[in-house]
Amino acid sequence: MNRNALLYPASRLLGPPARSLPYPAAYAASNVFMDAVYLGWPAGRTAVQANLRPVLATHDSQLLHYWAQRQFRRYGEYVVDALRLDRLSPQDCFDALETEPDVWPRLRALYGRRPVLFALLHFGNWDVGGGAFTAGCGRSSVLIEPLGHPRLDDAIQRGRDRLGMTPLDVTAGLRPALRALHAGATIAVLVDRPLRPHEPGVDLTFCGRPCRLPTGFARLALATDACVIPLAVHRRSSRRFRFRALLDLDFTSPRSGRRDDDVRALMQGVLDVHERWVRRHPDQWYQFRPFFTGARRGADRATELSAPAHTSTVSNLGPAGTGSPLASRSSR
């Protein structure tokens, strides 16, 4: 089971409380549900703990259990937020997101003048970033991969569209994204879909361990000379709808003129930035199947995907700023 396969049953069971209760109560209900999922899904629990070993640099079973359970809970809170997308406005997202004062002026200076690719992991809540970007700058596009459950997929994509994120189906190819970027569009890319050794991609390292990821994001960036901005939207509280933008507006990657080398350098540079944020907030990186290539062989069968791979590529999103966490409220 992957993240998308977990999303559907979680949304079915969390739907009524998520939509009817205030945020603190809805998040509390999701914590209870995800604790049950954590206990009842040994393969997922094992995969998350294995992924956390290099992140936490420990083999301490109690510490791994603590952070893995917290990761399940944070994901349940993300599901609650996803189920309430149709009740949010871009301004709601903008008001819920903390940034440094210079973030929005710098983003507005880029918007529509140069193509921008936000590089994200499945971390925190990326949809809030997209809604905030709409309020702060304007509409963006989201390249999505279907979740495998048409009604849920339709509901989530309609919610994103209401927040100013135009969904582009990745199964139709990357040409729409290329055209949009050449026209100066802003797109955010979820880059952390793990691949098996035989699948086309690039070998990288994350937290000192090998992993293999798709290269579509880097090839889009190099083909359009887009400005690449690593971004994460960190959940500030498990009781309130509050977030903080973590980003690096000054990110650069060396160019050698050799395409394969430049793809690898760009991907590795993005992962290196995200590594700092994941180590700081290990409960907010949602990976429910083996991420590191060295750990995949023995775990693949137990965690074989039961639904299409989660969004590898792109989810269109929001803000950006400096290389350190953005702690103060944005000046709007």
Side-chain angles (χ1 to χ4, degrees):
M1 181 184 289
N2 69 351
R3 187 188 68 86
N4 285 344
L6 177 60
L7 179 59
Y8 181 68
S11 68
R12 291 292 300 273
L13 291 170
L14 289 177
R19 297 180 63 82
S20 62
L21 296 175
Y23 274 112
Y27 288 152
S30 75
N31 286 176
V32 172
F33 173 77
M34 293 306 291
D35 281 351
V37 173
Y38 179 77
L39 292 174
W41 184 24
R45 183 172 68 242
T46 298
V48 168
Q49 291 186 12
N51 292 337
L52 285 174
R53 282 192 196 101
V55 172
L56 300 171
T58 185
H59 289 274
D60 186 309
S61 60
Q62 290 186 329
L63 196 61
L64 291 167
H65 161 75
Y66 172 80
W67 285 106
Q69 186 177 43
R70 284 175 64 92
Q71 185 179 125
F72 274 69
R73 289 177 179 178
R74 297 296 83 76
Y75 185 69
E77 291 157 11
Y78 166 75
V79 173
V80 169
D81 295 341
L83 293 171
R84 298 171 79 132
L85 284 181
D86 62 346
R87 301 186 178 189
L88 295 174
S89 70
Q91 190 64 44
D92 291 332
C93 296
F94 189 79
D95 292 342
L97 186 67
E98 298 177 0
T99 67
E100 290 286 2
D102 69 334
V103 166
W104 293 110
R106 293 183 67 180
L107 285 177
R108 291 178 189 121
L110 286 172
Y111 186 69
R113 296 177 176 86
R114 184 179 175 189
V116 175
L117 277 171
F118 287 111
L120 301 96
L121 306 189
H122 288 88
F123 179 105
N125 188 324
W126 46 96
D127 293 322
V128 168
F133 186 84
T134 301
C137 294
R139 285 192 70 95
S140 52
S141 299
V142 45
L143 187 61
I144 57 94
E145 189 170 344
L147 300 174
H149 301 281
R151 290 181 63 185
L152 175 63
D153 194 56
D154 181 64
I156 289 177
Q157 303 317 332
R158 279 190 287 106
R160 287 173 175 163
D161 186 66
R162 284 187 67 257
L163 290 177
M165 297 173 276
T166 302
L168 301 174
D169 189 344
V170 70
T171 59
L174 296 179
R175 287 186 178 181
L178 276 171
R179 287 195 296 267
L181 289 168
H182 279 304
T186 298
I187 296 177
V189 184
L190 293 164
V191 302
D192 59 336
R193 177 168 66 91
L195 300 174
R196 295 177 178 82
H198 67 275
E199 293 182 284
V202 61
D203 292 314
L204 305 162
T205 60
F206 188 63
C207 297
R209 291 284 300 277
C211 61
R212 187 169 178 81
L213 299 178
T215 61
F217 149 72
R219 295 186 185 280
L220 278 174
L222 293 172
T224 59
D225 193 30
C227 176
V228 173
I229 303 173
L231 166 69
V233 179
H234 162 237
R235 180 180 297 278
R236 293 271 295 165
S237 169
S238 61
R239 294 184 56 80
R240 302 172 66 216
F241 189 72
R242 291 292 181 269
F243 304 87
R244 175 184 294 159
L246 311 175
L247 57 159
D248 187 350
L249 267 176
D250 300 312
F251 173 82
T252 59
S253 179
R255 302 287 178 90
S256 68
R258 297 183 294 274
R259 181 55 60 95
D260 289 346
D261 291 345
D262 290 347
V263 164
R264 182 174 290 102
L266 177 54
M267 294 290 295
Q268 188 61 62
V270 165
L271 282 189
D272 290 345
V273 174
H274 277 284
E275 180 177 318
R276 301 198 301 268
W277 300 332
V278 170
R279 286 190 186 276
R280 196 174 302 151
H281 308 289
D283 56 335
Q284 300 206 24
W285 180 44
Y286 313 132
Q287 283 290 340
F288 298 107
R289 56 175 174 159
F291 183 78
F292 299 99
T293 52
R296 298 184 69 82
R297 295 189 185 94
D300 266 349
R301 181 167 299 182
T303 56
E304 187 62 43
L305 304 184
S306 61
H310 56 132
T311 238
S312 73
T313 36
V314 198
S315 188
N316 199 44
L317 267 122
T322 70
S324 60
L326 308 180
S328 64
R329 291 298 298 174
S330 170
S331 62
R332 271 111 188 201

